[in-house]
Amino acid sequence: MLEDRPDGSGVEVLSARDVPLGGPRAMSVRRTLPQRGRSLIGAWCFIDHYGPHDVRGGRGMVVPPHPHTGLQTVSWLFSGEVEHRDSLGSIATVRPGEVNVMTAGSGIQHSEVSTDDTSELHGVQLWVALPDAARHCSPAFEHYAPEAVAWGDVTVRVFLGSLAGQTSPLPTHSPLVGAQLDLPAGDPIAVPLDPAFEYGILVDRGALVVDGTPVPRVDVAYLPVGRDTVTLDADGACRLLLLGGEPLGEQIVMWWNFIGRSHDEIVKFREAWQADVITGLDDGGRFGAVDYDGQPLAAPTMPGVRLRARG
Ligand code: MN
């Protein structure tokens, strides 16, 4: 759905689709990125939004160890707790309002399991594609709890980049921003934008109108580059994520949990995971090892056609 503005820059609504997560106790998520018509928003390449799920009785998130390459995972919760374990030896509890950024670089593996005392699980799992110059970097894991800052009537938590005078200390490999905005009902507000960025606005709660375009809850409003402001009109209290960045300007190949630049590179990543971790007896190779009570996830079979680069 594209609504043309007089200046030609439309607000495009990206609709969410339901996707079951892997693992024996699968949880369903709503995916807005990637989708058929759009692979990237800045370097953001993956938006999974889930919950609120009632997970009492053990129906929470259980994602056994799985690999990543060429990307950063950005975990952000609204409720519940998730234990993260990775092959750097990190064991961290992901909590609401605290961001955890895992840089896969040349290769890492991790598990994500909601804690036993979590009764409600609600959050997002986001990926950032690393630019070619950074994608072979060493893996890393970082945590940051941004201050909740009043900005007029809006409460802002900036977990990556800068917005409304707040700056996250976490390094990024391309210019980007990620922030939670909590809006009260009331007069429309104007949010300043970087004209070099494109943006996605994910509506988690409430009804939001973005520059005159209604954006259903759980969908994403896409804004192209070239804007210096956007008007947000909340009909009732509204919680949203603002994700933006300079267009990556690179074609990526994304399959399962890997990002590369060609079909053949993805095949190599898959073969390394299967050989070094799933069937291998060695140290996990580039992916290392996770201290986890259970089996890692085997990679699915490659499709019968060559993977195409998108961007
Ligand atoms: Mn993962």
Side-chain angles (χ1 to χ4, degrees):
M1 186 164 73
L2 189 68
E3 179 173 304
D4 285 333
R5 287 156 43 99
D7 62 2
S9 57
V11 174
E12 186 184 345
V13 177
L14 307 179
S15 299
R17 66 183 190 282
D18 291 327
V19 178
L21 277 190
R25 288 151 64 195
M27 188 180 80
S28 181
V29 301
R30 295 176 293 270
R31 188 161 297 162
T32 37
L33 199 71
Q35 53 176 276
R36 189 175 297 271
R38 182 153 302 283
S39 303
L40 294 157
I41 300 175
W44 299 97
C45 60
F46 190 84
I47 302 175
D48 265 4
H49 179 217
Y50 52 88
H53 289 302
D54 180 346
V55 297
R56 288 170 297 183
R59 297 180 52 80
M61 178 187 291
V62 181
V63 185
H66 58 281
H68 289 291
T69 58
L71 59 88
Q72 293 175 299
T73 63
V74 179
S75 304
W76 183 257
L77 291 181
F78 304 115
S79 60
E81 291 186 348
V82 173
E83 186 184 79
H84 160 101
R85 290 171 175 249
D86 66 38
S87 48
L88 296 169
S90 317
I91 300 178
T93 304
V94 185
R95 296 189 174 88
E98 303 181 6
V99 75
N100 287 273
V101 177
M102 186 183 76
T103 303
S106 57
I108 198 169
Q109 60 167 308
H110 74 141
S111 61
E112 296 158 290
V113 178
S114 49
T115 59
D116 287 341
D117 49 4
T118 292
S119 57
E120 181 184 271
L121 196 57
H122 186 185
V124 290
Q125 171 73 224
L126 311 167
W127 295 358
V128 172
L130 294 173
D132 194 47
R135 69 191 184 96
H136 302 292
C137 68
S138 299
F141 180 79
E142 285 151 307
H143 169 266
Y144 171 58
E147 192 181 346
V149 175
W151 181 60
D153 293 335
V154 182
T155 302
V156 180
R157 293 172 173 84
V158 180
F159 49 84
L160 279 179
S162 295
L163 185 76
Q166 304 299 308
T167 297
S168 165
L170 298 189
T172 65
H173 296 272
S174 63
L176 51 84
V177 67
Q180 177 180 323
L181 276 64
D182 291 85
L183 284 68
D187 294 336
I189 61 153
V191 176
L193 301 180
D194 184 333
F197 282 19
E198 53 187 343
Y199 290 90
I201 299 170
L202 169 66
V203 183
D204 172 68
R205 175 190 286 166
L208 184 71
V209 177
V210 177
D211 274 354
T213 299
V215 182
R217 195 184 76 82
V218 314
D219 286 354
V220 167
Y222 170 75
L223 306 173
V225 296
R227 291 164 169 260
D228 53 21
T229 186
V230 64
T231 301
L232 304 178
D233 193 355
D235 180 12
C238 194
R239 178 162 64 194
L240 60 88
L241 293 184
L242 179 69
L243 307 172
E246 287 186 10
L248 186 65
E250 296 178 25
Q251 298 273 307
I252 63 172
V253 178
M254 192 165 139
W255 181 80
W256 194 43
N257 291 302
F258 303 125
I259 292 182
R261 291 297 182 274
S262 69
H263 174 92
D264 294 338
E265 189 178 28
I266 297 291
V267 169
K268 270 177 29 193
F269 291 153
R270 182 188 179 281
E271 286 176 350
W273 172 252
Q274 293 297 110
D276 294 341
V277 178
I278 300 301
T279 60
L281 300 172
D282 65 4
D283 61 355
R286 68 165 72 210
F287 300 108
V290 179
D291 181 11
Y292 180 82
D293 184 16
Q295 294 299 310
L297 289 178
T301 307
M302 295 283 298
V305 295
R306 288 181 69 81
L307 301 169
R308 285 171 42 209
R310 299 173 184 278

